[in-house]
Amino acid sequence: MQYTELVPGTLVRRYKRFLADVALASGDVVVAHCPNTGSMRAVDVPGCRVWLSPSRNPARKLAWTWELIELPMPDAPPALVSVHTGRANALVAQALQEARIPELAGYDTHKREVRVADARLDFRLSTAHAAAYVEVKQVTLREHDGHGYFPDSVSERGRRHLEALAARVAEGDRAVLLFCVAHTGIDAVAPAAHLDPAYAETLRRVAAQGVEVLAYGMSATWAHDGVPGDIALTRALPVSLERRLASATPLSD
């Protein structure tokens, strides 16, 4: 996925979930839309460089959207993180079209936003004789042990999606939970039992029932002027369903 225009700034604060104050190089402080309903634990870090996309729609209330943030990493260059949860499905759709997720290759059609029972799943992949249902979850939480975790706060909606996937398996279909790891500093993923033990328990149960769990990580390229050029899912990452975070700090959000 290629960004056509990004403007750098410094994060001042995020507030009311959907708003962020960002200081531009000019010294002006603008209010940007924050397209992320989660806690953004370990990602909402004032003082870090962020990247905004401008809107040319004069009717839009906010002219800026917060797209990316650069986070400091121990003994490594800063990691680039996509905070825009709406980009996750686009990244996965692109990876599916380009057959960059081998486990999900070979399907003839890719249908998005599929209603099943009382839930909506992100993709239905199909051939003449088989179907696979895929639910995408964006991972941006990197804890102090270096691992990525999902969710970053309690997610009842996420648990409902797991149950919907398990129901598809019971009906004879293939069902896949795909972690879209939108953080270049994350190399492995686990359920966040320290933040949402019910989600972690449910994930382990449905995995035992046949729901497949995959994780693919984001890579980024940079333009010659130091601006992020494009991002894509290119890295297959391991998933540990049993991993526990030691010395977890409580969620303060």
Side-chain angles (χ1 to χ4, degrees), residues 7 24 30-34 52-55 60 62-66:
V7 175
L24 303 181
V30 299
V31 180
H33 172 55
C34 177
L52 308 180
S53 61
S55 171
R60 180 171 158 169
L62 297 177
W64 300 95
T65 297
W66 180 10

Side-chain angles (χ1 to χ4, degrees), residues 207-244:
Q209 294 170 348
V211 174
E212 302 169 50
V213 185
L214 304 174
Y216 272 76
M218 180 182 88
S219 298
T221 62
W222 297 79
H224 67 279
D225 54 358
V227 177
D230 58 61
I231 59 176
L233 294 184
T234 61
R235 302 178 295 128
L237 304 180
V239 179
S240 173
L241 299 185
E242 301 299 331
R243 185 177 182 87
R244 301 289 200 285

Side-chain angles (χ1 to χ4, degrees), residues 193-206:
H194 58 296
L195 300 177
D196 191 346
Y199 182 89
E201 179 182 356
T202 302
L203 178 53
R204 288 190 288 269
R205 173 172 55 79
V206 301

Side-chain angles (χ1 to χ4, degrees), residues 118-141:
D118 60 346
R120 187 183 297 274
L121 299 177
D122 290 316
F123 292 91
R124 183 181 187 271
L125 315 181
S126 61
T127 66
H129 307 289
Y133 291 83
V134 182
E135 177 63 18
V136 177
K137 296 300 181 188
Q138 178 169 294
V139 180
T140 58
L141 171 59

Side-chain angles (χ1 to χ4, degrees), residues 57-138:
N57 181 359
R60 180 171 158 169
K61 184 176 180 181
L62 297 177
W64 300 95
T65 297
W66 180 10
E67 296 282 354
L68 303 161
I69 187 169
E70 295 178 42
L71 297 177
M73 296 281 288
D75 304 317
L80 190 67
V81 183
S82 173
V83 304
H84 194 322
T85 55
R87 305 298 187 203
N89 280 10
L91 284 171
V92 171
Q94 181 185 38
L96 290 172
Q97 291 167 4
E98 298 176 359
R100 282 190 278 103
I101 303 178
E103 299 92 336
L104 298 177
Y107 290 94
D108 301 325
T109 60
H110 303 161
K111 185 177 180 180
R112 298 176 66 165
E113 296 293 325
V114 180
R115 172 68 66 179
V116 291
D118 60 346
R120 187 183 297 274
L121 299 177
D122 290 316
F123 292 91
R124 183 181 187 271
L125 315 181
S126 61
T127 66
H129 307 289
Y133 291 83
V134 182
E135 177 63 18
V136 177
K137 296 300 181 188
Q138 178 169 294

Side-chain angles (χ1 to χ4, degrees), residues 3-4 16 24 27 36 45 53-54 70 77 99 102-103 127 142 145 151 166 179-180 189 192 206 217 229 231 242-243:
Y3 293 102
T4 57
K16 295 182 180 179
L24 303 181
N36 191 316
V45 184
S53 61
E70 295 178 42
E103 299 92 336
T127 66
R142 184 183 188 274
D145 64 350
F179 288 124
C180 173
V189 180
V206 301
I231 59 176
E242 301 299 331
R243 185 177 182 87

